[in-house]
Amino acid sequence: ATLPACATLPACATLPVCATLPVCVMVLVRIATKIVAQTGSFRLSGPPAHCLGMEINIAKIAARQDGVITLIQLRHEVPARHRQRKLIEGGGLVRVAPGVYAINGSPDTYRRRLRSGLLSLGHDCWVSYEAAAQLHELDRSRSDIVEFTVPRGRSVQCQPFTVHTSDRIPAIDRVEVDGLRCLSATRTVIDLAHARRSTARIEAAIDSAVRKGLSAPHTIATRLETLRGQGRWGCRLIERLVVDSGGHSPLERRFLQICREAGLGRPLTQAIHRKGQRHIARVDFLFAAEGVVIEVSGQHGHSSPTERRRDAQRRNELQDLGRRVYEYTYADVTESPGMVQRTLLQRLRDKNG
């Protein structure tokens, strides 16, 4: 059976509805199998093969770009304007942003929306604010907000997402996360404060950025000084919050605040202990000079026999290393900070235990 032109293919053979090349090939295989079953043979004449080749190239490009293709790329692969119109007007390609089209049927994922924005806005744009927090996997980030930042003064077409402008986007603030251009975690923390997010939101962003090794209190403070002269709102909030950053939870942040208010030096956070090459424990806080380890336990703590046995072994091995181990509960830290300060001061002064 000879198929004289692309138009004679069944509707299900329209390749742009596929998200990836393997799916396109599967569609062709199914059509060929059906025709062979009915007629005993199957072949394509020259023009259809050429048309299908173009559509397969489009599918290949889209597969590398989370299911989307730019108008420039489309024109390069399909020079004939009537073919371009047929792909778009026929529903094979769906416009998702100015100059960007998605393969009809490809999943509308968060990555596809981010990729669409980057392709639409061009080279000088970066994922930013809440979208950057999501890419960096900072705590309390949201996956329903798509935001970008471009240089101030640039003309931007009406977009289906939020576009911020800035006159300062230096190289130190620009990174790539999982193949997407993005502003750094440090810059993201500052941007979130500038956007007047809640104090709890900023605390979570700072703590998770520090915990993941994406930033550090000194790095945030230094970058803050650079931006402060521009009258950026939120600088004072970050300056206040970064002092007690670095814990793995709001409870650990509160303990650091108690230490600061008591006039104590800042303990090491998440300090790793080893015996030779063997990992013993990662502790919440370590006052190294005094050899004192402090653990803070959440509301639920460890209650199963297995957990209690593991905690006891861990405590014993830390004591074997010469550490004095103390624990404060959630209620201690949140409801009795005065007691925590008083007993902690006494324990730090008593080097003999």
Side-chain angles (χ1 to χ4, degrees):
T2 301
L3 299 181
C6 286
T8 63
L9 286 172
C12 61
T14 304
L15 295 182
V17 303
C18 305
T20 60
L21 180 59
V23 178
C24 299
V25 175
M26 287 175 61
V27 171
L28 289 177
V29 169
R30 289 171 182 170
I31 296 170
T33 302
K34 185 175 181 180
I35 294 176
V36 169
Q38 293 175 347
T39 65
S41 64
F42 173 71
R43 67 185 180 85
L44 291 173
S45 57
H50 175 66
C51 294
L52 289 174
M54 290 188 299
E55 294 179 351
I56 288 176
N57 287 340
I58 292 172
K60 285 182 179 179
I61 295 172
R64 295 193 299 266
Q65 298 179 164
D66 301 296
V68 296
I69 186 170
T70 67
L71 185 58
I72 293 175
Q73 291 169 330
L74 175 63
R75 287 171 176 170
H76 181 268
E77 296 299 327
V78 186
R81 290 190 177 274
H82 74 281
R83 287 289 301 154
Q84 297 171 18
R85 288 195 302 271
K86 184 174 180 180
L87 289 171
I88 296 172
E89 296 173 3
L93 296 176
V94 180
R95 186 178 183 271
V96 291
V100 180
Y101 293 83
I103 303 295
N104 192 357
S106 64
D108 182 19
T109 64
Y110 188 63
R111 274 189 61 88
R112 194 183 84 172
R113 294 196 291 273
L114 294 179
R115 179 76 71 182
S116 298
L118 291 174
L119 291 174
S120 178
L121 292 169
H123 181 70
D124 290 330
C125 75
W126 294 267
V127 177
S128 61
Y129 288 79
E130 285 290 356
Q134 173 68 16
L135 269 187
H136 290 297
E137 297 183 341
L138 301 185
D139 292 351
R140 298 196 182 189
S141 59
R142 297 171 55 181
S143 61
D144 60 337
I145 299 179
V146 180
E147 296 180 280
F148 303 91
T149 294
V150 301
R152 184 161 296 158
R154 223 188 90 176
S155 176
V156 177
Q157 290 181 274
C158 182
Q159 299 282 355
F161 32 72
T162 302
V163 180
H164 305 273
T165 63
S166 174
D167 57 3
R168 294 289 297 277
I169 316 176
I172 194 174
D173 289 338
R174 306 194 299 263
V175 297
E176 185 175 292
V177 179
D178 198 17
L180 299 172
R181 296 190 307 276
C182 181
L183 293 186
S184 69
T186 299
R187 176 62 181 266
T188 297
V189 167
I190 297 172
D191 284 346
L192 290 175
H194 174 61
R196 307 197 178 196
R197 299 294 190 264
S198 69
T199 299
R201 176 72 187 91
I202 306 304
E203 283 181 349
I206 293 174
D207 289 345
S208 53
V210 173
R211 183 178 71 243
K212 291 174 177 291
L214 300 175
S215 190
H218 174 73
T219 303
I220 296 174
T222 301
R223 195 75 193 94
L224 201 60
E225 285 302 315
T226 304
L227 297 171
R228 184 186 298 278
Q230 302 174 44
R232 197 177 188 86
W233 196 95
C235 289
R236 289 185 180 180
L237 174 62
I238 295 178
E239 190 173 51
R240 176 167 58 84
L241 296 179
V242 79
V243 174
D244 300 322
S245 65
H248 272 207
S249 66
L251 185 65
E252 293 180 17
R253 168 179 277 277
R254 178 66 180 118
F255 179 81
L256 287 171
Q257 182 183 350
I258 290 173
C259 293
R260 176 172 54 81
E261 292 172 349
L264 298 172
R266 179 187 172 93
L268 297 175
T269 59
Q270 303 303 311
I272 296 175
H273 288 72
R274 299 181 183 278
K275 189 174 184 178
Q277 297 297 318
R278 188 167 67 88
H279 176 86
I280 300 297
R282 181 194 296 268
V283 301
D284 293 338
F285 304 102
L286 170 65
F287 292 88
E290 295 82 2
V292 171
V293 166
I294 300 295
E295 301 275 48
V296 292
S297 56
Q299 289 176 291
H300 302 291
H302 291 170
S303 57
S304 73
T306 300
E307 290 174 329
R308 290 198 298 270
R309 183 169 62 253
R310 189 183 300 118
D311 288 345
Q313 180 182 351
R314 181 173 178 271
R315 178 186 294 268
N316 291 338
E317 291 192 283
L318 286 170
Q319 290 174 344
D320 289 342
L321 293 176
R323 300 302 191 198
R324 290 182 289 138
V325 183
Y326 302 99
E327 181 176 356
Y328 292 106
T329 66
Y330 179 88
D332 292 336
V333 175
T334 59
E335 299 174 13
S336 305
M339 181 276 290
V340 174
Q341 288 184 351
R342 185 175 62 257
T343 56
L344 183 57
L345 282 168
Q346 180 180 349
R347 287 161 175 166
L348 291 176
R349 289 168 182 164
D350 185 9
K351 292 189 178 182
N352 296 321

